[in-house]
Amino acid sequence: MNAPSRPSLTSLSADALSARVVELGGKPFHARVARREVYERGVLDYSAMTGLPSALRDALTAELPILSSAVTTSRIARDRTTKLLVEFPATAPDARPSSVEVVHIPPHDPDSPKGATLCVSSQCGCPVGCPFCASGLEGLERNLEAHEIVEQFLHGRAIGPLSRSVVMGIGEPLLNFDAVQAALAVVHDDLGLGARKITLSTVGFPERVRRAARSSPRFQLAISLHTPDDEQRDELVPAMKGVPIAEVLAAGDDWFEVTGREVTYEYVLLGGVNDSAQHAGRLARRLASRRATVNLIPYNPTQGLGFARPDAKAAEAFRTLLDEAGVVATLRWSRGLEGSAACGQLRAGGV
Ligand code: SAH
Ligand code: SF4
């Protein structure tokens, strides 16, 4: 179990914050003011909270940090994508601090009135071990706590306004679901990002998908499939070994029935591995009768992993084959490649 680290405003429930504020000489409503300043207005410094008495601002500054984490590195790529390295304090006396990467992706058009998409992480490292993904190379370090996930949103919003978010950074969100769900409740209720604006990506543990569907989920679901073949999926998604694809798809169907929201299936295109016309045909047969879309993601290279990115023509041919078989498919060339900020290039601890 994690040892409790020093509390922060974000780590306290509304009631606990209220009690702490009273201890520090304030009134319960001051706690509500402080929460609103942080979550709704993005104020991350007590001294700017003019609705609080100045003695309370000083006491809070001395006694209760707003955030538990800090941005230790921030890199902006030419396409204006920003990659942040966010460091969390160690959770045990002999542990190292943990960090994850958070990616802020503004709209292509710099004049667009829309805000950015923020890619957040759910775990430090990942236990699933997909061989094409940099995030899982060193296994799982630890789960993130709910407030540590919320803080990624606060750091991201400090760069610029957010319109959407994807839980597609480091980690497998359904293996840390309680924390993810609690964090998204705050993001939804207090930061004001709607359920349809958040997409959670998972390898699709069937029972966990079914449970998530019944938990008033505040997100859209994407399931990483990567192949229509059971044997190949055992290799590409090792933690799902022995779970037939049919069961994953049945859980996706159940999600659609329960929530009324379509599932997106993600498919990393690995040159010469899962991008043949035969793969496209078998994938189409699996999905043709379903209301779902496929998101094709050409592999983003990480040195030493031994996979290749298909060229643009091969990727487009794969998409066309799905299309012709009646399966809606989009091809997504990741942004942020130059700064190693694309899917599958994120590492706990940074590059
Ligand atoms: N663990 C979850 C969410 C994080 S990974 C999941 O696997 O779904 C988010 C997405 O990035 C997944 O679809 C994953 O397959 C994809 N991805 C991982 N490594 C990649 C790489 N090297 N190139 C392109 N996409 C990758
Ligand atoms: Fe984990 Fe997702 Fe990477 Fe697989 S692709 S190792 S599940 S983060």
Side-chain angles (χ1 to χ4, degrees):
M1 221 183 82
N2 292 340
S5 42
R6 189 181 175 206
S8 55
L9 176 143
T10 54
S11 73
L12 298 181
S13 65
D15 288 346
L17 179 62
S18 192
R20 187 75 183 111
V21 162
V22 170
E23 271 171 24
L24 293 173
K27 302 257 187 298
F29 84 91
H30 290 138
R32 290 195 293 279
V33 170
R35 275 179 68 92
R36 249 199 326 270
E37 291 277 0
V38 171
Y39 292 127
E40 290 174 27
R41 299 189 46 218
V43 176
L44 298 179
D45 181 350
Y46 291 115
S47 63
M49 298 184 188
T50 48
L52 300 180
S54 87
L56 180 62
R57 280 185 259 159
D58 291 346
L60 284 166
T61 303
E63 298 296 330
L64 184 68
I66 293 177
L67 303 175
S68 64
S69 62
V71 172
T72 53
T73 319
S74 168
R75 268 164 60 194
I76 308 179
R78 247 177 317 208
D79 66 3
R80 297 177 296 111
T81 294
T82 305
K83 183 163 82 166
L84 302 177
L85 193 62
V86 175
E87 187 175 285
F88 302 102
T91 49
D94 54 348
R96 288 182 303 134
S98 307
S99 42
V100 296
E101 291 178 326
V102 177
V103 188
H104 181 273
I105 310 156
H108 269 291
D109 174 2
D111 297 326
S112 164
K114 284 216 272 192
T117 298
L118 191 74
C119 179
V120 298
S121 299
S122 56
Q123 297 182 304
C124 278
C126 180
V128 177
C130 307
F132 50 84
C133 173
S135 304
L137 285 179
E138 281 150 43
L140 177 69
E141 191 181 320
R142 72 165 171 93
N143 276 329
L144 291 176
E145 294 179 30
H147 71 277
E148 295 175 326
I149 299 171
V150 172
E151 289 187 13
Q152 296 175 53
F153 285 86
L154 297 174
H155 288 303
R157 195 178 53 181
I159 300 173
L162 307 178
S163 285
R164 289 182 46 78
S165 172
V166 289
V167 186
M168 289 192 187
I170 299 168
E172 167 46 51
L174 292 195
L175 293 179
N176 186 23
F177 189 60
D178 289 349
V180 168
Q181 178 84 329
L184 294 186
V186 174
V187 169
H188 179 269
D189 299 346
D190 300 327
L191 274 74
L193 209 54
R196 294 188 181 271
K197 305 284 186 195
I198 298 179
T199 301
L200 177 147
S201 174
T202 171
V203 292
F205 298 99
E207 271 319 302
R208 290 174 190 269
V209 168
R210 287 172 196 273
R211 242 181 288 147
R214 287 160 182 76
S215 68
S216 311
R218 291 175 174 87
F219 53 82
Q220 312 272 45
L221 187 70
I223 296 182
S224 294
L225 203 61
H226 307 321
T227 174
D229 304 329
D230 283 327
E231 259 176 45
Q232 186 169 48
R233 196 161 196 269
D234 285 351
E235 280 162 30
L236 294 181
V237 191
M240 295 285 284
K241 204 174 167 92
V243 179
I245 289 171
E247 277 183 25
V248 175
L249 297 177
D253 294 345
D254 176 74
W255 166 277
F256 178 49
E257 267 165 40
V258 173
T259 66
R261 299 179 212 153
E262 278 184 29
V263 175
T264 302
Y265 287 98
E266 289 168 286
Y267 195 107
V268 174
L269 283 172
L270 303 163
V273 174
N274 65 354
D275 65 340
S276 71
Q278 291 74 18
H279 279 89
R282 290 195 295 273
L283 180 65
R285 277 198 293 286
R286 292 251 196 206
L287 296 180
S289 60
R290 298 183 144 92
R291 286 242 329 247
T293 49
V294 175
N295 198 350
L296 299 169
I297 316 167
Y299 169 66
N300 297 314
T302 291
Q303 247 188 347
L305 295 191
F307 290 98
R309 181 172 243 218
D311 66 25
K313 254 173 78 186
E316 183 51 34
F318 196 94
R319 195 197 67 77
T320 305
L321 283 171
L322 291 179
D323 224 33
E324 286 170 357
V327 175
V328 182
T330 57
L331 186 55
R332 188 181 82 197
W333 296 93
S334 300
R335 292 176 66 198
L337 203 56
E338 164 216 346
S340 290
C343 290
Q345 295 186 312
L346 303 182
R347 289 179 196 230
V351 181

